[in-house]
PDB file of all heavy atoms in Angstrom:
ATOM      1  N   ALA A 405      16.299  -4.436  -1.751  1.00  0.00           N
ATOM      2  CA  ALA A 405      16.008  -4.152  -3.151  1.00  0.00           C
ATOM      3  C   ALA A 405      16.290  -2.668  -3.405  1.00  0.00           C
ATOM      4  O   ALA A 405      16.304  -1.868  -2.467  1.00  0.00           O
ATOM      5  CB  ALA A 405      14.561  -4.492  -3.463  1.00  0.00           C
ATOM      6  N   PRO A 406      16.517  -2.261  -4.655  1.00  0.00           N
ATOM      7  CA  PRO A 406      16.835  -0.859  -4.965  1.00  0.00           C
ATOM      8  C   PRO A 406      15.790   0.117  -4.429  1.00  0.00           C
ATOM      9  O   PRO A 406      14.586  -0.163  -4.462  1.00  0.00           O
ATOM     10  CB  PRO A 406      16.876  -0.837  -6.496  1.00  0.00           C
ATOM     11  CG  PRO A 406      17.239  -2.243  -6.869  1.00  0.00           C
ATOM     12  CD  PRO A 406      16.563  -3.116  -5.861  1.00  0.00           C
ATOM     13  N   ALA A 407      16.263   1.250  -3.946  1.00  0.00           N
ATOM     14  CA  ALA A 407      15.375   2.236  -3.313  1.00  0.00           C
ATOM     15  C   ALA A 407      14.378   2.838  -4.292  1.00  0.00           C
ATOM     16  O   ALA A 407      13.241   3.149  -3.924  1.00  0.00           O
ATOM     17  CB  ALA A 407      16.209   3.349  -2.677  1.00  0.00           C
ATOM     18  N   HIS A 408      14.777   3.010  -5.565  1.00  0.00           N
ATOM     19  CA  HIS A 408      13.907   3.728  -6.498  1.00  0.00           C
ATOM     20  C   HIS A 408      12.648   2.962  -6.886  1.00  0.00           C
ATOM     21  O   HIS A 408      11.772   3.510  -7.551  1.00  0.00           O
ATOM     22  CB  HIS A 408      14.693   4.101  -7.764  1.00  0.00           C
ATOM     23  CG  HIS A 408      15.264   2.938  -8.497  1.00  0.00           C
ATOM     24  ND1 HIS A 408      16.585   2.561  -8.370  1.00  0.00           N
ATOM     25  CD2 HIS A 408      14.702   2.049  -9.341  1.00  0.00           C
ATOM     26  CE1 HIS A 408      16.811   1.494  -9.121  1.00  0.00           C
ATOM     27  NE2 HIS A 408      15.686   1.168  -9.714  1.00  0.00           N
ATOM     28  N   GLY A 409      12.519   1.692  -6.461  1.00  0.00           N
ATOM     29  CA  GLY A 409      11.300   0.945  -6.742  1.00  0.00           C
ATOM     30  C   GLY A 409      10.240   1.113  -5.673  1.00  0.00           C
ATOM     31  O   GLY A 409       9.110   0.634  -5.823  1.00  0.00           O
ATOM     32  N   LEU A 410      10.581   1.798  -4.579  1.00  0.00           N
ATOM     33  CA  LEU A 410       9.689   1.889  -3.424  1.00  0.00           C
ATOM     34  C   LEU A 410       8.952   3.227  -3.366  1.00  0.00           C
ATOM     35  O   LEU A 410       9.526   4.274  -3.655  1.00  0.00           O
ATOM     36  CB  LEU A 410      10.500   1.703  -2.138  1.00  0.00           C
ATOM     37  CG  LEU A 410       9.729   1.707  -0.811  1.00  0.00           C
ATOM     38  CD1 LEU A 410       8.697   0.587  -0.766  1.00  0.00           C
ATOM     39  CD2 LEU A 410      10.699   1.572   0.362  1.00  0.00           C
ATOM     40  N   CYS A 411       7.680   3.162  -2.956  1.00  0.00           N
ATOM     41  CA  CYS A 411       6.880   4.377  -2.826  1.00  0.00           C
ATOM     42  C   CYS A 411       6.004   4.281  -1.577  1.00  0.00           C
ATOM     43  O   CYS A 411       5.305   3.279  -1.378  1.00  0.00           O
ATOM     44  CB  CYS A 411       5.998   4.572  -4.051  1.00  0.00           C
ATOM     45  SG  CYS A 411       4.937   6.041  -3.976  1.00  0.00           S
ATOM     46  N   LEU A 412       6.061   5.309  -0.728  1.00  0.00           N
ATOM     47  CA  LEU A 412       5.151   5.417   0.406  1.00  0.00           C
ATOM     48  C   LEU A 412       3.833   5.938  -0.141  1.00  0.00           C
ATOM     49  O   LEU A 412       3.723   7.094  -0.544  1.00  0.00           O
ATOM     50  CB  LEU A 412       5.710   6.373   1.462  1.00  0.00           C
ATOM     51  CG  LEU A 412       4.804   6.704   2.656  1.00  0.00           C
ATOM     52  CD1 LEU A 412       4.334   5.444   3.359  1.00  0.00           C
ATOM     53  CD2 LEU A 412       5.519   7.631   3.628  1.00  0.00           C
ATOM     54  N   ALA A 413       2.819   5.061  -0.172  1.00  0.00           N
ATOM     55  CA  ALA A 413       1.572   5.395  -0.863  1.00  0.00           C
ATOM     56  C   ALA A 413       0.544   6.087   0.007  1.00  0.00           C
ATOM     57  O   ALA A 413      -0.222   6.932  -0.477  1.00  0.00           O
ATOM     58  CB  ALA A 413       0.960   4.126  -1.460  1.00  0.00           C
ATOM     59  N   GLU A 414       0.483   5.736   1.311  1.00  0.00           N
ATOM     60  CA  GLU A 414      -0.594   6.281   2.134  1.00  0.00           C
ATOM     61  C   GLU A 414      -0.291   6.062   3.608  1.00  0.00           C
ATOM     62  O   GLU A 414       0.350   5.085   3.982  1.00  0.00           O
ATOM     63  CB  GLU A 414      -1.916   5.584   1.770  1.00  0.00           C
ATOM     64  CG  GLU A 414      -3.155   6.181   2.398  1.00  0.00           C
ATOM     65  CD  GLU A 414      -4.422   5.446   1.969  1.00  0.00           C
ATOM     66  OE1 GLU A 414      -4.323   4.426   1.261  1.00  0.00           O
ATOM     67  OE2 GLU A 414      -5.511   5.907   2.350  1.00  0.00           O
ATOM     68  N   VAL A 415      -0.775   6.978   4.436  1.00  0.00           N
ATOM     69  CA  VAL A 415      -0.698   6.846   5.892  1.00  0.00           C
ATOM     70  C   VAL A 415      -2.103   7.031   6.432  1.00  0.00           C
ATOM     71  O   VAL A 415      -2.791   7.992   6.079  1.00  0.00           O
ATOM     72  CB  VAL A 415       0.247   7.895   6.511  1.00  0.00           C
ATOM     73  CG1 VAL A 415       0.374   7.671   8.014  1.00  0.00           C
ATOM     74  CG2 VAL A 415       1.623   7.842   5.858  1.00  0.00           C
ATOM     75  N   GLY A 416      -2.559   6.088   7.282  1.00  0.00           N
ATOM     76  CA  GLY A 416      -3.925   6.127   7.775  1.00  0.00           C
ATOM     77  C   GLY A 416      -4.015   6.650   9.199  1.00  0.00           C
ATOM     78  O   GLY A 416      -3.176   6.337  10.048  1.00  0.00           O
ATOM     79  N   TYR A 417      -5.075   7.454   9.475  1.00  0.00           N
ATOM     80  CA  TYR A 417      -5.260   8.062  10.793  1.00  0.00           C
ATOM     81  C   TYR A 417      -6.683   7.839  11.298  1.00  0.00           C
ATOM     82  O   TYR A 417      -7.575   7.456  10.545  1.00  0.00           O
ATOM     83  CB  TYR A 417      -4.973   9.563  10.723  1.00  0.00           C
ATOM     84  CG  TYR A 417      -3.535   9.877  10.406  1.00  0.00           C
ATOM     85  CD1 TYR A 417      -3.115  10.046   9.090  1.00  0.00           C
ATOM     86  CD2 TYR A 417      -2.591   9.974  11.421  1.00  0.00           C
ATOM     87  CE1 TYR A 417      -1.792  10.311   8.797  1.00  0.00           C
ATOM     88  CE2 TYR A 417      -1.266  10.242  11.132  1.00  0.00           C
ATOM     89  CZ  TYR A 417      -0.871  10.411   9.824  1.00  0.00           C
ATOM     90  OH  TYR A 417       0.445  10.663   9.534  1.00  0.00           O
ATOM     91  N   GLY A 418      -6.859   8.101  12.583  1.00  0.00           N
ATOM     92  CA  GLY A 418      -8.190   8.010  13.174  1.00  0.00           C
ATOM     93  C   GLY A 418      -8.782   6.621  13.046  1.00  0.00           C
ATOM     94  O   GLY A 418      -8.122   5.614  13.312  1.00  0.00           O
ATOM     95  N   ASN A 419     -10.030   6.562  12.610  1.00  0.00           N
ATOM     96  CA  ASN A 419     -10.721   5.287  12.456  1.00  0.00           C
ATOM     97  C   ASN A 419     -10.624   4.733  11.042  1.00  0.00           C
ATOM     98  O   ASN A 419     -11.320   3.787  10.688  1.00  0.00           O
ATOM     99  CB  ASN A 419     -12.208   5.453  12.825  1.00  0.00           C
ATOM    100  CG  ASN A 419     -12.386   5.820  14.292  1.00  0.00           C
ATOM    101  OD1 ASN A 419     -11.673   5.307  15.148  1.00  0.00           O
ATOM    102  ND2 ASN A 419     -13.332   6.714  14.579  1.00  0.00           N
ATOM    103  N   SER A 420      -9.780   5.335  10.215  1.00  0.00           N
ATOM    104  CA  SER A 420      -9.660   4.887   8.832  1.00  0.00           C
ATOM    105  C   SER A 420      -9.076   3.486   8.777  1.00  0.00           C
ATOM    106  O   SER A 420      -8.252   3.094   9.598  1.00  0.00           O
ATOM    107  CB  SER A 420      -8.772   5.847   8.031  1.00  0.00           C
ATOM    108  OG  SER A 420      -7.467   5.871   8.564  1.00  0.00           O
ATOM    109  N   GLN A 421      -9.522   2.700   7.796  1.00  0.00           N
ATOM    110  CA  GLN A 421      -9.045   1.343   7.609  1.00  0.00           C
ATOM    111  C   GLN A 421      -8.500   1.188   6.194  1.00  0.00           C
ATOM    112  O   GLN A 421      -9.008   1.787   5.253  1.00  0.00           O
ATOM    113  CB  GLN A 421     -10.167   0.326   7.846  1.00  0.00           C
ATOM    114  CG  GLN A 421     -10.714   0.358   9.265  1.00  0.00           C
ATOM    115  CD  GLN A 421     -11.808  -0.671   9.479  1.00  0.00           C
ATOM    116  OE1 GLN A 421     -11.952  -1.598   8.705  1.00  0.00           O
ATOM    117  NE2 GLN A 421     -12.577  -0.492  10.536  1.00  0.00           N
ATOM    118  N   ALA A 422      -7.465   0.368   6.073  1.00  0.00           N
ATOM    119  CA  ALA A 422      -6.835   0.165   4.760  1.00  0.00           C
ATOM    120  C   ALA A 422      -7.650  -0.846   3.962  1.00  0.00           C
ATOM    121  O   ALA A 422      -7.263  -1.989   3.774  1.00  0.00           O
ATOM    122  CB  ALA A 422      -5.398  -0.318   4.937  1.00  0.00           C
ATOM    123  N   ARG A 423      -8.818  -0.429   3.496  1.00  0.00           N
ATOM    124  CA  ARG A 423      -9.710  -1.344   2.780  1.00  0.00           C
ATOM    125  C   ARG A 423      -9.473  -1.345   1.269  1.00  0.00           C
ATOM    126  O   ARG A 423      -9.588  -2.374   0.622  1.00  0.00           O
ATOM    127  CB  ARG A 423     -11.163  -0.956   3.062  1.00  0.00           C
ATOM    128  CG  ARG A 423     -11.583  -1.206   4.516  1.00  0.00           C
ATOM    129  CD  ARG A 423     -12.977  -0.671   4.755  1.00  0.00           C
ATOM    130  NE  ARG A 423     -13.430  -0.950   6.122  1.00  0.00           N
ATOM    131  CZ  ARG A 423     -14.556  -0.464   6.650  1.00  0.00           C
ATOM    132  NH1 ARG A 423     -15.321   0.328   5.925  1.00  0.00           N
ATOM    133  NH2 ARG A 423     -14.891  -0.763   7.889  1.00  0.00           N
ATOM    134  N   ASP A 424      -9.206  -0.176   0.719  1.00  0.00           N
ATOM    135  CA  ASP A 424      -9.095  -0.067  -0.732  1.00  0.00           C
ATOM    136  C   ASP A 424      -7.692  -0.395  -1.205  1.00  0.00           C
ATOM    137  O   ASP A 424      -7.001   0.422  -1.812  1.00  0.00           O
ATOM    138  CB  ASP A 424      -9.497   1.343  -1.174  1.00  0.00           C
ATOM    139  CG  ASP A 424     -10.920   1.688  -0.776  1.00  0.00           C
ATOM    140  OD1 ASP A 424     -11.761   0.777  -0.816  1.00  0.00           O
ATOM    141  OD2 ASP A 424     -11.177   2.847  -0.424  1.00  0.00           O
ATOM    142  N   CYS A 425      -7.264  -1.622  -0.931  1.00  0.00           N
ATOM    143  CA  CYS A 425      -5.925  -2.042  -1.319  1.00  0.00           C
ATOM    144  C   CYS A 425      -5.857  -2.282  -2.819  1.00  0.00           C
ATOM    145  O   CYS A 425      -6.780  -2.853  -3.410  1.00  0.00           O
ATOM    146  CB  CYS A 425      -5.515  -3.299  -0.563  1.00  0.00           C
ATOM    147  SG  CYS A 425      -5.386  -3.049   1.224  1.00  0.00           S
ATOM    148  N   LEU A 426      -4.791  -1.857  -3.427  1.00  0.00           N
ATOM    149  CA  LEU A 426      -4.614  -2.019  -4.867  1.00  0.00           C
ATOM    150  C   LEU A 426      -4.651  -3.492  -5.265  1.00  0.00           C
ATOM    151  O   LEU A 426      -5.231  -3.860  -6.282  1.00  0.00           O
ATOM    152  CB  LEU A 426      -3.280  -1.386  -5.289  1.00  0.00           C
ATOM    153  CG  LEU A 426      -2.898  -1.507  -6.759  1.00  0.00           C
ATOM    154  CD1 LEU A 426      -3.866  -0.693  -7.611  1.00  0.00           C
ATOM    155  CD2 LEU A 426      -1.464  -1.013  -6.971  1.00  0.00           C
ATOM    156  N   LEU A 427      -4.034  -4.350  -4.479  1.00  0.00           N
ATOM    157  CA  LEU A 427      -3.924  -5.777  -4.798  1.00  0.00           C
ATOM    158  C   LEU A 427      -4.800  -6.622  -3.876  1.00  0.00           C
ATOM    159  O   LEU A 427      -4.482  -7.763  -3.570  1.00  0.00           O
ATOM    160  CB  LEU A 427      -2.467  -6.231  -4.697  1.00  0.00           C
ATOM    161  CG  LEU A 427      -1.453  -5.421  -5.505  1.00  0.00           C
ATOM    162  CD1 LEU A 427      -0.054  -5.983  -5.314  1.00  0.00           C
ATOM    163  CD2 LEU A 427      -1.817  -5.411  -6.977  1.00  0.00           C
ATOM    164  N   ARG A 428      -5.910  -6.072  -3.435  1.00  0.00           N
ATOM    165  CA  ARG A 428      -6.741  -6.769  -2.459  1.00  0.00           C
ATOM    166  C   ARG A 428      -7.242  -8.107  -2.994  1.00  0.00           C
ATOM    167  O   ARG A 428      -7.316  -9.096  -2.274  1.00  0.00           O
ATOM    168  CB  ARG A 428      -7.920  -5.889  -2.068  1.00  0.00           C
ATOM    169  CG  ARG A 428      -8.737  -6.480  -0.932  1.00  0.00           C
ATOM    170  CD  ARG A 428      -9.855  -5.552  -0.549  1.00  0.00           C
ATOM    171  NE  ARG A 428     -10.614  -6.072   0.572  1.00  0.00           N
ATOM    172  CZ  ARG A 428     -11.741  -5.540   1.026  1.00  0.00           C
ATOM    173  NH1 ARG A 428     -12.215  -4.456   0.459  1.00  0.00           N
ATOM    174  NH2 ARG A 428     -12.375  -6.068   2.050  1.00  0.00           N
ATOM    175  N   HIS A 429      -7.624  -8.136  -4.266  1.00  0.00           N
ATOM    176  CA  HIS A 429      -8.184  -9.356  -4.846  1.00  0.00           C
ATOM    177  C   HIS A 429      -7.238  -9.936  -5.895  1.00  0.00           C
ATOM    178  O   HIS A 429      -7.657 -10.408  -6.940  1.00  0.00           O
ATOM    179  CB  HIS A 429      -9.536  -9.056  -5.483  1.00  0.00           C
ATOM    180  CG  HIS A 429     -10.500  -8.408  -4.543  1.00  0.00           C
ATOM    181  ND1 HIS A 429     -11.034  -9.068  -3.454  1.00  0.00           N
ATOM    182  CD2 HIS A 429     -11.013  -7.157  -4.503  1.00  0.00           C
ATOM    183  CE1 HIS A 429     -11.849  -8.256  -2.804  1.00  0.00           C
ATOM    184  NE2 HIS A 429     -11.843  -7.088  -3.410  1.00  0.00           N
ATOM    185  N   CYS A 430      -5.947  -9.910  -5.583  1.00  0.00           N
ATOM    186  CA  CYS A 430      -4.954 -10.257  -6.597  1.00  0.00           C
ATOM    187  C   CYS A 430      -4.674 -11.746  -6.689  1.00  0.00           C
ATOM    188  O   CYS A 430      -3.991 -12.188  -7.603  1.00  0.00           O
ATOM    189  CB  CYS A 430      -3.637  -9.532  -6.332  1.00  0.00           C
ATOM    190  SG  CYS A 430      -2.739 -10.209  -4.920  1.00  0.00           S
ATOM    191  N   GLN A 431      -5.175 -12.557  -5.763  1.00  0.00           N
ATOM    192  CA  GLN A 431      -4.777 -13.954  -5.743  1.00  0.00           C
ATOM    193  C   GLN A 431      -5.093 -14.643  -7.074  1.00  0.00           C
ATOM    194  O   GLN A 431      -4.297 -15.405  -7.601  1.00  0.00           O
ATOM    195  CB  GLN A 431      -5.484 -14.683  -4.592  1.00  0.00           C
ATOM    196  CG  GLN A 431      -4.856 -16.021  -4.207  1.00  0.00           C
ATOM    197  CD  GLN A 431      -3.459 -15.860  -3.617  1.00  0.00           C
ATOM    198  OE1 GLN A 431      -3.009 -14.759  -3.340  1.00  0.00           O
ATOM    199  NE2 GLN A 431      -2.769 -16.963  -3.454  1.00  0.00           N
ATOM    200  N   HIS A 432      -6.261 -14.375  -7.647  1.00  0.00           N
ATOM    201  CA  HIS A 432      -6.609 -15.008  -8.913  1.00  0.00           C
ATOM    202  C   HIS A 432      -5.829 -14.414 -10.080  1.00  0.00           C
ATOM    203  O   HIS A 432      -5.635 -15.058 -11.103  1.00  0.00           O
ATOM    204  CB  HIS A 432      -8.113 -14.867  -9.182  1.00  0.00           C
ATOM    205  CG  HIS A 432      -8.537 -13.461  -9.463  1.00  0.00           C
ATOM    206  ND1 HIS A 432      -8.663 -12.515  -8.467  1.00  0.00           N
ATOM    207  CD2 HIS A 432      -8.846 -12.822 -10.621  1.00  0.00           C
ATOM    208  CE1 HIS A 432      -9.051 -11.369  -8.993  1.00  0.00           C
ATOM    209  NE2 HIS A 432      -9.159 -11.522 -10.302  1.00  0.00           N
TER     210      HIS A 432
END
Side-chain angles (χ1 to χ4, degrees):
H408 59 260
L410 182 60
C411 179
L412 174 55
E414 188 179 5
V415 184
Y417 295 91
N419 296 321
S420 62
Q421 298 181 17
R423 292 174 177 172
D424 301 324
C425 296
L426 178 67
L427 307 180
R428 187 178 182 188
H429 305 292
C430 73
Q431 197 66 9
H432 69 284

